Amino acid sequence: MYLTNTNAFVFLIVYSLEKNSPLKRKITLKHIARELGVSISTVSKALKNSEEIGSDTKERVQAFAKLYNYKPNNIAISLKNKRTKNIGVIIPDIVHHFFTTVFRGIEKYANAKGYNVIVCVSDESFDKEVINMELLANGSIDGFIMALSSGTQLKNDYNHLKEVTEQGIPLVLFDRVAEDILCDKVIINDRKGAYNAVTKFIKDGRKRIALITSEDYISVSRERAAGYKEALLDNGIGYNEDLILKFPSMEISENLIEDFFEREKVDAVLSVNEIFAIHGMRYIQSKGLKIPKDISFIGFTDGLLSKYASPGLTAIAQHGEQMGEIAAEILIEKIENDMEEETYVTRVLEPTLIERGSTVN
Amino acid sequence: MYLTNTNAFVFLIVYSLEKNSPLKRKITLKHIARELGVSISTVSKALKNSEEIGSDTKERVQAFAKLYNYKPNNIAISLKNKRTKNIGVIIPDIVHHFFTTVFRGIEKYANAKGYNVIVCVSDESFDKEVINMELLANGSIDGFIMALSSGTQLKNDYNHLKEVTEQGIPLVLFDRVAEDILCDKVIINDRKGAYNAVTKFIKDGRKRIALITSEDYISVSRERAAGYKEALLDNGIGYNEDLILKFPSMEISENLIEDFFEREKVDAVLSVNEIFAIHGMRYIQSKGLKIPKDISFIGFTDGLLSKYASPGLTAIAQHGEQMGEIAAEILIEKIENDMEEETYVTRVLEPTLIERGSTVN
DNA sequence: AACTTCAACTAAAACGTTTTCGATAAATTT
DNA sequence: AAATTTATCGAAAACGTTTTAGTTGAAGTT
């Protein structure tokens, strides 16, 4: 075709001389231009099929580019366009089924839209969250999706988020959010999830309904506890602080569980996560009690454990994947049409009760 | 100090005029240079504390930079240095405990070394793997860490990997690897893990030892099946194909499980993953048989399910986090000292048997 | 013949850095 | 006093693109 043998030959010589190892170095517009005796701009336009360029040169350039497998350099394009096509995701923990599920939703949607995802794990630490965020904010990404670390929620310091949004970088918070931050959010109705679970217990005739939870500074735990209390009061069942077992960390202490169940007589347990629920169930079963006959269990987060426990754990599904997709959708919308009017939405997803063997039905 | 009020004032005016919204736009070297009446190179050097620059201008520049929170643009630096400080991770599935664990190891090590991680999920698809890889290879990353998708292993086509390595981009494969690819690898000794598990069964007096596995084109399954067979033969127990239950996909068919256990009398089961094992245990328990008295179970991948099953599932731990750290270490070493001699290592980790209630001890 | 129009192409700036090679003036040496 | 050194600083290229604003020569118009 339009490629002369001499041209191709010269090119190969040049490139095999540069390195003695057989490295196929990436080719650039400049190389194509030089070999074909045209300017860089012509090559750039020819590859975009611009009307400005004659059809014969377009063919020559395109053939050459294909032959040498030219692919534009992402970094150069990012610098020029001030658009990286990357989105930053900061989550407290990657080895956590719910976050992983959300991440899958984000990744799926983002990828379909041509975005890549850079993940940073805050490890529940405020400092790491700040460091990671500042690092990514310096040009590496076009927007953030994140769930606050517990360290940040405890410290209640959101200056790093404010700085980012003030720079005009879009931010979407999911699951672990904070009132004071002006940005888009996507959460599930945790309060309602707990409310519905407790209501189900009561309909099933349960009277002494316990709650296993973590410390209140985690926004979701707080919401769930509120729903628990509300359902009890709405149904004329007293709210009794003694029926709340609060773990100070994610480290489960079997002693606390034992003390609690020895002290309090309960016939139903709502847990803010799977792990606490499974531990409770194991303890109850080890005491020879039957689930759900003697005690019912419902746990938040419909993960693997709920599904494969014996009996299966009735769960409040949080629709993580959907949450991730929505977060990504909102973010990319903001990135691509960065309108000046600052309007923020909060999408609230409805939780679903997945009934299994740990409750009667 | 060296900042005059007028300077700062002018600057603020300029920036608040540019946008009517209160956007704190990122400041660049050029801005600092203009405001301070020096050249860009001087600013650049001053910020690096270069000896070339007089101490008073250094102070002026540094103070100004600090005041306006100057941070260098990562993209520009990447373009200049041809180093992104990003590593690309491609895994088949993120909602999978083992991969997640490896990812954590990668992220932890990479972050400590100042690298960010871009994750792409191949979804077990050859095409997605290729697309993602080519996308990232165009300048977005300094190296790859990946586990092959099942689609790729089935197709047995590794040209996308070859292209990347031929371009001089370092690649580390983990867990799901292939012989033919010339690159660094980190795997666990799957064969030995299976061998040890079966040996334990035999020591416990088991005779009819079943294997639940997936199709052979998954490299790890193949290795595990080999270890299973080897242990049987080494101990003078016949290798019987009828005792192998092979699932065609990750979708579990309860019928296949039922047929299998109805047809074959077994007293021990080795499973190539947790899920298959848990399903087997549930079926056995539903038939009123006792674990481990009537049937023992051991499963690969020491994940959440093994830990929380009843009884706990004795598991072959794959040390995912360690695997991730090692992969990242090898990769970053290759990135930072890209020596010309191409030598590739394969690190083989030893599996560990975690004994729980599903086996006797 | 002088003009406009058009097709086809190029130069150069820009994105934000880093770095090499000067340039200038002051300080030091001879 | 002339020559040399030293301390500070700046111009410009480079990384690989995109895009604006030309430039050129040929064709068409009056």
Side-chain angles (χ1 to χ4, degrees):
Chain A
M1 36 177 78
Y2 294 92
L3 278 175
T4 65
N5 280 332
T6 41
N7 262 345
F9 186 65
V10 166
F11 184 78
L12 282 172
I13 293 290
V14 169
Y15 278 82
S16 62
L17 281 181
E18 258 185 33
K19 284 246 167 198
N20 47 9
S21 56
L23 271 193
K24 279 205 267 176
R25 279 247 158 271
K26 275 270 173 196
I27 197 180
T28 70
L29 291 183
K30 193 195 278 188
H31 296 136
I32 303 183
R34 195 195 304 148
E35 292 306 316
L36 262 41
V38 295
S39 77
I40 295 182
S41 10
T42 302
V43 176
S44 176
K45 287 170 186 167
L47 290 175
K48 308 193 127 54
N49 242 319
S50 161
E51 289 303 322
E52 277 185 85
I53 307 298
S55 49
D56 52 340
T57 36
K58 272 203 282 199
E59 282 181 44
R60 279 209 317 149
V61 170
Q62 286 168 11
F64 193 94
K66 187 165 188 186
L67 181 61
Y68 287 99
N69 193 30
Y70 169 78
K71 293 279 165 52
N73 181 302
N74 293 330
I75 299 289
I77 292 180
S78 293
L79 182 59
K80 185 90 239 291
N81 299 351
K82 293 166 155 260
R83 284 287 203 74
T84 63
K85 285 270 183 177
N86 285 155
I87 76 186
V89 172
I90 302 181
I91 50 182
D93 181 9
I94 184 76
V95 189
H96 185 304
H97 187 261
F98 173 66
F99 289 130
T100 302
T101 317
V102 177
F103 180 80
R104 179 203 258 166
I106 295 174
E107 212 267 348
K108 190 183 281 182
Y109 189 90
N111 234 263
K113 290 283 183 177
Y115 284 76
N116 279 118
V117 181
I118 300 186
V119 204
C120 288
V121 178
S122 65
D123 235 344
E124 303 287 10
S125 142
F126 172 80
D127 290 338
K128 279 198 187 175
E129 192 177 288
V130 173
I131 291 174
N132 282 322
M133 204 160 185
E134 291 186 343
L135 193 68
L136 292 183
N138 296 319
S140 300
I141 51 89
D142 297 336
F144 281 109
I145 297 178
M146 65 186 288
L148 297 171
S149 75
S150 60
T152 305
Q153 295 206 120
L154 181 58
K155 204 166 178 189
N156 212 36
D157 178 350
Y158 307 116
N159 280 314
H160 51 306
L161 303 183
K162 266 178 196 140
E163 275 193 20
V164 158
T165 51
E166 279 174 0
Q167 279 170 31
I169 301 177
L171 164 67
V172 178
L173 246 37
F174 73 90
D175 193 56
R176 304 233 206 119
V177 305
E179 282 283 350
D180 340 11
I181 309 171
L182 284 178
C183 69
D184 295 300
K185 292 159 194 169
V186 29
I187 53 180
I188 66 155
N189 196 333
D190 282 294
R191 178 187 293 244
K192 190 166 168 194
Y195 189 96
N196 291 348
V198 172
T199 304
K200 175 181 166 49
F201 280 148
I202 295 170
K203 280 206 185 109
D204 291 347
R206 310 287 165 165
K207 302 282 182 206
R208 294 187 58 82
I209 303 167
L211 173 69
I212 308 185
T213 183
S214 61
E215 290 291 349
D216 269 353
Y217 58 81
I218 302 285
S219 58
V220 294
S221 300
R222 204 167 47 226
E223 283 297 304
R224 291 167 191 176
Y228 161 84
K229 183 173 179 180
E230 200 177 330
L232 289 178
L233 297 180
D234 281 2
N235 286 277
I237 297 190
Y239 170 70
N240 179 358
E241 295 249 358
D242 294 340
L243 288 181
I244 298 185
L245 171 56
K246 196 174 285 188
F247 282 107
S249 79
M250 280 307 292
E251 299 310 311
I252 289 96
S253 146
E254 301 289 346
N255 287 339
L256 280 179
I257 294 183
E258 184 169 351
D259 289 351
F260 179 76
F261 283 112
E262 290 305 315
R263 194 178 65 229
E264 305 294 338
K265 173 155 173 44
V266 307
D267 55 14
V269 175
L270 172 64
S271 166
V272 297
N273 61 39
E274 284 187 327
I275 306 258
F276 291 171
I278 297 291
H279 271 95
M281 284 170 68
R282 292 192 113 184
Y283 178 78
I284 291 303
Q285 284 171 330
S286 76
K287 287 292 158 185
L289 294 173
K290 292 297 170 201
I291 301 172
K293 195 169 73 66
D294 301 319
I295 303 191
S296 274
F297 277 85
I298 297 181
F300 266 87
T301 305
D302 177 43
L304 277 187
L305 290 181
S306 305
K307 201 165 170 185
Y308 291 109
S310 314
L313 175 62
T314 293
I316 301 157
Q318 298 190 84
H319 308 298
E321 193 160 339
Q322 196 195 347
M323 188 178 269
E325 281 176 28
I326 292 175
E329 185 187 347
I330 295 176
L331 183 73
I332 292 176
E333 163 72 17
K334 274 271 163 67
I335 289 173
E336 301 195 337
N337 324 316
D338 54 354
M339 45 250 185
E340 295 306 310
E341 342 93 56
E342 302 291 350
T343 59
Y344 300 115
V345 303
T346 295
R347 282 281 288 274
V348 182
L349 306 187
E350 292 308 314
T352 310
L353 198 69
I354 311 282
E355 300 199 27
R356 297 207 179 85
S358 71
T359 53
V360 291
N361 58 355
Chain B
M1 36 178 78
Y2 294 92
L3 278 174
T4 66
N5 280 334
T6 41
N7 263 344
F9 187 64
V10 166
F11 184 78
L12 281 172
I13 295 287
V14 170
Y15 279 82
S16 62
L17 282 181
E18 257 185 33
K19 284 246 166 197
N20 48 10
S21 55
L23 274 192
K24 278 205 268 174
R25 282 248 158 271
K26 275 270 172 195
I27 196 181
T28 69
L29 291 184
K30 193 196 280 188
H31 296 137
I32 302 182
R34 195 195 304 150
E35 292 307 315
L36 262 40
V38 295
S39 77
I40 294 182
S41 14
T42 302
V43 177
S44 176
K45 288 169 188 167
L47 290 176
K48 308 194 126 54
N49 242 319
S50 160
E51 290 303 323
E52 276 184 82
I53 307 298
S55 49
D56 51 343
T57 37
K58 272 203 282 197
E59 281 182 46
R60 280 209 316 148
V61 170
Q62 287 169 9
F64 192 93
K66 187 166 187 186
L67 179 60
Y68 288 100
N69 193 29
Y70 169 79
K71 294 279 164 53
N73 180 302
N74 293 331
I75 299 289
I77 292 179
S78 294
L79 182 59
K80 185 93 239 292
N81 298 352
K82 292 167 157 259
R83 282 287 205 76
T84 63
K85 284 270 183 179
N86 286 155
I87 74 185
V89 172
I90 302 182
I91 50 183
D93 181 9
I94 184 77
V95 189
H96 185 305
H97 188 262
F98 173 66
F99 290 130
T100 303
T101 317
V102 177
F103 179 81
R104 179 201 256 163
I106 296 174
E107 212 268 347
K108 189 183 283 182
Y109 189 90
N111 234 265
K113 289 283 183 177
Y115 283 76
N116 278 118
V117 181
I118 300 185
V119 203
C120 287
V121 178
S122 65
D123 234 344
E124 303 286 11
S125 141
F126 172 79
D127 290 338
K128 280 198 188 176
E129 191 177 288
V130 173
I131 290 173
N132 282 322
M133 203 158 185
E134 291 186 344
L135 193 68
L136 293 183
N138 297 320
S140 299
I141 50 90
D142 296 337
F144 281 108
I145 297 179
M146 64 186 289
L148 298 171
S149 74
S150 60
T152 304
Q153 296 205 120
L154 180 57
K155 205 167 177 186
N156 212 36
D157 179 349
Y158 308 115
N159 280 314
H160 51 306
L161 303 184
K162 265 178 198 142
E163 275 194 20
V164 158
T165 51
E166 280 174 0
Q167 279 170 31
I169 302 177
L171 163 68
V172 178
L173 246 36
F174 73 89
D175 194 54
R176 304 232 208 120
V177 305
E179 282 282 349
D180 339 12
I181 309 170
L182 284 179
C183 69
D184 295 300
K185 293 161 193 166
V186 30
I187 54 180
I188 66 154
N189 196 334
D190 282 294
R191 179 188 292 245
K192 189 166 168 194
Y195 189 96
N196 290 348
V198 172
T199 304
K200 175 180 165 48
F201 280 147
I202 295 170
K203 279 206 186 112
D204 292 346
R206 309 288 165 164
K207 302 282 181 205
R208 294 188 58 81
I209 302 167
L211 173 69
I212 309 186
T213 183
S214 60
E215 289 292 349
D216 269 353
Y217 59 81
I218 302 285
S219 59
V220 293
S221 299
R222 203 167 47 227
E223 283 296 305
R224 290 167 191 176
Y228 161 84
K229 182 173 179 179
E230 199 178 330
L232 289 178
L233 297 180
D234 281 4
N235 286 278
I237 297 191
Y239 169 70
N240 179 357
E241 295 249 357
D242 294 340
L243 288 181
I244 297 185
L245 171 57
K246 195 174 286 187
F247 282 106
S249 79
M250 280 307 292
E251 299 311 310
I252 289 97
S253 147
E254 300 291 346
N255 287 338
L256 280 179
I257 294 183
E258 185 170 351
D259 290 351
F260 179 77
F261 283 111
E262 290 305 315
R263 193 178 64 232
E264 305 294 337
K265 175 155 173 47
V266 307
D267 56 14
V269 176
L270 172 64
S271 167
V272 296
N273 62 39
E274 283 188 326
I275 307 259
F276 293 171
I278 297 292
H279 271 95
M281 284 170 69
R282 292 192 114 185
Y283 178 78
I284 291 303
Q285 284 171 329
S286 76
K287 288 291 156 185
L289 295 173
K290 292 296 170 202
I291 302 171
K293 195 170 73 67
D294 302 317
I295 303 191
S296 273
F297 277 85
I298 296 181
F300 265 87
T301 305
D302 178 44
L304 277 187
L305 290 181
S306 305
K307 202 165 170 185
Y308 291 110
S310 316
L313 174 62
T314 293
I316 301 156
Q318 300 190 82
H319 308 299
E321 193 159 341
Q322 196 196 347
M323 189 178 269
E325 281 175 28
I326 292 175
E329 185 187 347
I330 295 177
L331 184 74
I332 292 176
E333 163 72 18
K334 272 273 162 70
I335 290 173
E336 301 194 337
N337 323 318
D338 54 354
M339 44 248 186
E340 295 306 310
E341 342 93 56
E342 302 292 348
T343 59
Y344 299 116
V345 303
T346 296
R347 282 281 288 275
V348 181
L349 307 186
E350 292 307 313
T352 311
L353 199 68
I354 312 281
E355 299 199 26
R356 297 207 179 85
S358 70
T359 53
V360 291
N361 57 354

